[in-house]
Amino acid sequence: MPSLAVKLPQEQPKEQKPILRVENLHTWFEVRRMGFFKAGDVRALDGVTFDLYEGETVSIVGESGCGKSTLAKTILGINIPTKGAIYFEDQDLSTLDKQGWRNYRSSIGYIQQDPYGALPPFMSVQRILEEPMKINGIRNKEEQARRIRQVLEEVKLAPIEDFLPKFPHMLSGGQQQRLVIARAMILEPKMLIADEPVSMLDASVRVEILQLLQGLQTKHNLAIIYITHDLSTVRYFSERIFSMYGAKIIEKSSTSALLKEPLHPYTQALFEATSDPDAENLKTFKNVPAGEPPSLMNPPKGCRFHPRCSQIIKGLCDEHIPPEFQVHEEHIAACWLYKDHQ
Amino acid sequence: MSKVLLDVRNLKLYFRTRSGPVQAVDDVSFKLRAGHTLAVVGESGCGKTSLAKAILRLLPRNISTYSGSVIFDGEDIMKYDDEKFRKEIRWSKIAMVPQASMNSLNPVIRIEDQLAEPLLIHEKLTKQQASVRVNEVFKIVGLPVDFLQRYPFELSGGMRQRATIAMALASNPKLVVLDEPSSALDLLTQANLMNVLKKIKHEINTTFILITHDIGTASELADEVAVMYAGEMIEYNSAEYFYTDAHHPYSQKLMASVPTLREDKELQFIPGQPPSLINPPQGCRFAARCEMKFAKCSIHPNTTQLADGATVQCWLHDKTGEVKHA
């Protein structure tokens, strides 16, 4: 029976060294008026701090525009941080030279959201998988063939000979996403960043891909950053969850604690908005906040969720940015409701 | 019980391609009562949208077969010619909110003028009358009336989606077909939209056909659930029973693959892929992926009416065992 079990809380990786440390990361995009005058900044990431340990999966949940993908791209080095630092295996990324960047990038794999858009339509499967190796100096033909065989076996694109000459449009959505994963794995990375890897796929295929990623993680002891808007898949996949809103991480928790009791009103709203398949849903209305996420050019003063929050404390939430409060062990919320927990 | 508003019988829609006809909708029959909502679920490419297009007769040119009967409000609208269908049925009695329609509003026309257009054309209202009606539906979908004077780019995604729903409701249709109304929206926006649709369903008693791949969201609105697989409607069940006790092996597997937030369950997936619709298997189309298949599955299953009112296309449930058409 092909199936995907709920991820059990593993031994706390506290003694382990973090593979990735992100400290007070800011990524701002400058907006120009008439192409010349500075009109302001879009603060896509505004002070994000976290550690990621070896072999651990962290989910980042949030809606579009909250900065999840900017975070991924900043870690990948596609966007340059405005402020703050990223350390990969204790190496500060800002000090890397060209070769250093190349080595760094070859040790992280990136899985994009839309598999078809991520694969070059004019390249065969074989060329798609050879390309990263050529760029990163693996020129030995036998080694190339060995790695291609290994990753295709791992992502279960079999029989391998049938797939090698195919082009992306000849593959189904699930197969395309497997190929994207294979490409991310070909340089034997230590960390994967998966940006909504299953949101474009059907329910049954989704489970298949998540199971595949879970298997790869256990086999290679990968650290994974799993970015998603779908709270219901995270429990099958990750040890910790970060919830993002308005370019900040507002809640950090172990998966089991968060699913038992979400603390931040925004995470609670996400929770409420997720529909489990249940005929009872027809009878009740959902209690979700109206309105839109804030503009990141002009974020609201104080807590960024306060204009939509039903539990707002007047004079506090709309004036001061909430710091992170340690509410329980392994459960942190940036919300004034928990100001008594220090 | 309310009367039957839509009665679809043996509806077929095949597309002509170079490699043969694509059986996008194959022999689909169902009944929908007034005021009820039918959720049509299934994987991508199973024929959900084609079914909607076949009901509304929004057809491309490469049609090879288009047959069956669609009895709407007591009349077989398949017998209408195209002109009569356009004038009397489409948009005035059956409206549709197509997939990604929030992105298909005309960017250079104000929302109010776009919403009024079908009223001016179909109902021959004056501009003032249309404006009054547009104001009404805008309130129904929960948008502030002053947004009517804005252009589409000035509205957020959720608001534009509500505007397209308002456009479909403007002519007071008896049936509204919603094709993936919320899948492009954020979670909270999606939940808000489902609240709005639920309110409309309760207050003005509109009949909806909701096409979606998201079984969780479908449960927010559905009275009945129809599961499509490879062009066929393999199960039609009331939502009450479907979500706890689906009959068809495919429906059961589909339910088992949906992750849930509030309970721990082991997710399962269905190995393999749906068959090609160009030359689908002679027997049950799901047989190749089914764990419960037996010898008879190589013959096409009959549609069986079960005691709880559900209909299923599966030999496991056909107690008579007769082969009606081989």
Side-chain angles (χ1 to χ4, degrees):
Chain A
M1 174 72 59
S3 62
L4 182 67
V6 174
K7 189 128 189 172
L8 295 169
Q10 294 188 337
E11 274 179 50
Q12 269 316 302
K14 269 192 183 141
E15 288 75 35
Q16 276 185 318
K17 270 196 340 194
I19 185 167
L20 182 83
R21 280 192 294 137
V22 173
E23 276 177 13
N24 196 27
L25 195 66
H26 291 68
T27 304
W28 294 4
F29 298 106
E30 196 175 304
V31 179
R32 284 171 187 273
R33 201 173 44 205
M34 291 156 59
F36 190 67
F37 302 103
K38 185 169 172 174
D41 289 299
V42 173
R43 303 178 179 192
L45 274 188
D46 216 6
V48 168
T49 304
F50 68 89
D51 291 347
L52 179 70
Y53 296 90
E54 272 175 15
E56 181 197 35
T57 307
V58 161
S59 296
I60 298 176
V61 296
E63 293 177 286
S64 43
C66 73
K68 335 186 269 294
S69 293
T70 307
L71 177 61
K73 287 182 175 164
T74 310
I75 293 171
L76 285 164
I78 298 169
N79 296 332
I80 310 296
T82 318
K83 218 164 55 178
I86 304 170
Y87 298 91
F88 183 74
E89 296 186 316
D90 289 330
Q91 168 89 43
D92 186 345
L93 293 192
S94 63
T95 64
L96 292 179
D97 57 7
K98 213 174 168 192
Q99 188 56 41
W101 269 110
R102 187 169 283 181
N103 292 342
Y104 166 64
R105 282 192 175 132
S106 68
S107 53
I108 41 177
Y110 182 38
I111 298 166
Q112 293 90 339
Q113 173 172 19
D114 171 10
Y116 190 70
L119 295 168
F122 50 86
M123 281 192 190
S124 65
V125 170
Q126 173 140 14
R127 273 194 65 197
I128 288 172
L129 293 174
E130 279 172 357
E131 194 84 354
M133 294 193 282
K134 281 183 192 157
I135 292 170
N136 286 283
I138 302 165
R139 298 219 162 74
N140 182 340
K141 286 277 166 207
E142 279 166 34
E143 173 66 8
Q144 286 187 356
R146 183 192 70 79
R147 288 205 184 188
I148 288 177
R149 177 160 293 277
Q150 190 191 339
V151 289
L152 286 181
E153 265 167 22
E154 279 179 355
V155 301
K156 302 191 182 72
L157 281 180
I160 292 165
E161 281 68 29
D162 289 1
F163 280 102
L164 286 178
K166 282 194 178 176
F167 287 89
H169 72 269
M170 297 158 140
L171 306 175
S172 70
Q175 288 171 340
Q176 285 173 0
Q177 194 57 281
R178 283 159 193 271
L179 179 56
V180 170
I181 295 171
R183 182 176 62 180
M185 291 299 296
I186 196 122
L187 294 171
E188 297 171 353
K190 294 170 184 156
M191 183 171 97
L192 281 184
I193 296 180
D195 189 355
E196 303 261 16
V198 293
S199 67
M200 310 270 281
L201 304 172
D202 278 318
S204 162
V205 185
R206 186 178 295 177
V207 179
E208 232 174 315
I209 297 287
L210 286 176
Q211 192 197 42
L212 182 74
L213 280 172
Q214 210 182 61
L216 285 174
Q217 180 189 31
T218 335
K219 191 171 163 199
H220 299 278
N221 197 31
L222 288 169
I224 300 185
I225 298 180
Y226 174 60
I227 295 174
T228 182
H229 67 277
D230 183 1
L231 263 178
S232 55
T233 56
V234 298
R235 77 156 71 219
Y236 297 95
F237 202 56
S238 64
E239 285 98 23
R240 287 195 293 159
I241 302 187
F242 301 156
S243 165
M244 276 188 84
Y245 186 78
K248 285 177 180 296
I249 294 183
I250 51 156
E251 187 163 353
K252 293 178 190 170
S253 168
S254 68
T255 306
S256 52
L258 187 124
L259 292 180
K260 211 183 287 163
E261 191 201 0
L263 294 177
H264 196 285
Y266 175 69
T267 320
Q268 290 168 356
L270 280 183
F271 215 83
E272 169 75 16
T274 306
S275 305
D276 278 343
D278 183 353
E280 291 298 308
N281 288 342
L282 181 61
K283 292 165 197 158
T284 51
F285 284 90
K286 286 198 174 293
N287 178 22
V288 287
E292 308 289 329
S295 147
L296 296 179
M297 257 180 92
N298 234 330
K301 212 177 162 196
C303 172
R304 295 192 173 168
F305 189 59
H306 87 259
R308 301 170 77 185
C309 187
S310 58
Q311 302 172 55
I312 176 174
I313 307 165
K314 284 259 156 57
L316 188 60
C317 296
D318 49 359
E319 290 292 333
H320 306 285
I321 296 173
E324 288 184 348
F325 294 107
Q326 181 92 39
V327 183
H328 305 295
E329 195 192 345
E330 297 165 28
H331 202 159
I332 294 168
C335 175
W336 285 116
L337 288 175
Y338 305 98
K339 61 177 184 293
D340 300 334
H341 297 83
Q342 271 303 347
Chain B
M1 248 202 197
S2 54
K3 70 182 172 84
V4 174
L5 180 71
L6 183 73
D7 184 357
V8 175
R9 292 180 196 165
N10 307 94
L11 189 63
K12 282 184 186 177
L13 177 63
Y14 294 1
F15 299 119
R16 196 176 57 232
T17 64
R18 249 179 252 163
S19 18
V22 176
Q23 309 185 5
V25 179
D26 200 14
D27 220 356
V28 166
S29 307
F30 67 91
K31 288 191 176 91
L32 178 61
R33 295 186 177 281
H36 280 216
T37 298
L38 169 70
V40 181
V41 299
E43 291 170 278
S44 38
C46 70
K48 309 184 293 280
T49 300
S50 296
L51 173 65
K53 291 193 168 162
I55 292 170
L56 267 142
R57 216 189 281 184
L58 293 166
L59 306 174
R61 280 195 199 150
N62 60 333
I63 295 298
S64 68
T65 311
Y66 179 50
S67 66
S69 53
V70 178
I71 297 160
F72 177 75
D73 220 1
E75 278 199 66
D76 189 352
I77 54 173
M78 286 289 275
K79 295 212 172 78
Y80 288 17
D81 61 32
D82 283 353
E83 194 53 22
K84 191 173 178 195
F85 192 91
R86 183 180 73 79
K87 279 189 175 154
E88 293 182 13
I89 301 295
R90 199 180 295 139
W91 215 269
S92 46
K93 286 188 180 150
I94 309 179
M96 182 168 179
V97 180
Q99 201 164 0
S101 55
M102 65 178 199
N103 298 325
S104 53
L105 291 167
N106 189 330
V108 294
I109 300 179
R110 286 179 203 277
I111 299 283
E112 177 166 27
D113 298 336
Q114 296 196 49
L115 259 63
E117 195 182 8
L119 297 172
L120 301 177
I121 294 170
H122 283 290
E123 303 201 356
K124 309 272 185 293
L125 299 184
T126 63
K127 279 206 163 162
Q128 284 76 17
Q129 288 170 317
S131 171
V132 172
R133 180 74 194 132
V134 165
N135 270 284
E136 269 171 35
V137 287
F138 230 57
K139 277 182 209 144
I140 293 173
V141 296
L143 286 174
V145 179
D146 51 319
F147 277 51
L148 278 170
Q149 297 309 319
R150 296 197 183 187
Y151 290 96
F153 71 88
E154 296 174 292
L155 271 62
S156 69
M159 289 181 181
R160 279 188 310 220
Q161 188 66 40
R162 288 189 200 193
T164 55
I165 290 168
M167 198 166 166
L169 292 172
S171 54
N172 252 328
K174 291 187 172 156
L175 175 66
V176 180
V177 180
L178 304 164
D179 191 358
E180 302 275 9
S182 63
S183 52
L185 301 173
D186 267 325
L187 207 54
L188 297 187
T189 320
Q190 187 174 338
N192 274 318
L193 185 77
M194 290 325 268
N195 278 346
V196 169
L197 289 172
K198 223 180 269 183
K199 199 177 107 214
I200 295 169
K201 178 177 145 75
H202 290 312
E203 285 175 8
I204 44 182
N205 214 18
T206 314
T207 312
F208 287 112
I209 294 180
L210 171 70
I211 293 169
T212 181
H213 68 277
D214 184 344
I215 298 170
T217 314
S219 69
E220 294 290 334
L221 213 59
D223 297 293
E224 273 92 29
V225 180
V227 184
M228 288 194 72
Y229 185 78
E232 297 181 319
M233 193 174 275
I234 54 156
E235 176 161 355
Y236 184 95
N237 203 340
S238 74
E240 203 182 328
Y241 298 119
F242 179 81
Y243 281 103
T244 47
D245 186 20
H247 295 297
H248 197 285
Y250 174 69
S251 316
Q252 292 165 357
K253 282 272 178 269
L254 196 63
M255 288 294 290
S257 75
V258 179
T260 49
L261 185 58
R262 291 166 187 84
E263 76 180 290
D264 281 336
K265 85 174 181 194
E266 203 160 283
L267 295 184
Q268 297 177 0
F269 64 87
I270 316 168
Q273 283 171 48
S276 156
L277 298 180
I278 292 181
N279 259 319
Q282 287 293 306
C284 170
R285 292 185 183 178
F286 184 60
R289 303 169 79 187
C290 186
E291 282 172 357
M292 289 185 261
K293 86 170 169 195
F294 55 113
K296 218 170 178 182
C297 297
S298 58
I299 304 165
H300 195 273
N302 303 323
T303 303
T304 316
Q305 178 99 34
L306 301 182
D308 59 5
T311 56
V312 187
Q313 212 177 75
C314 178
W315 284 119
L316 288 172
H317 297 278
D318 192 349
K319 297 287 181 271
T320 62
E322 287 169 44
V323 179
K324 283 174 196 155
H325 42 91

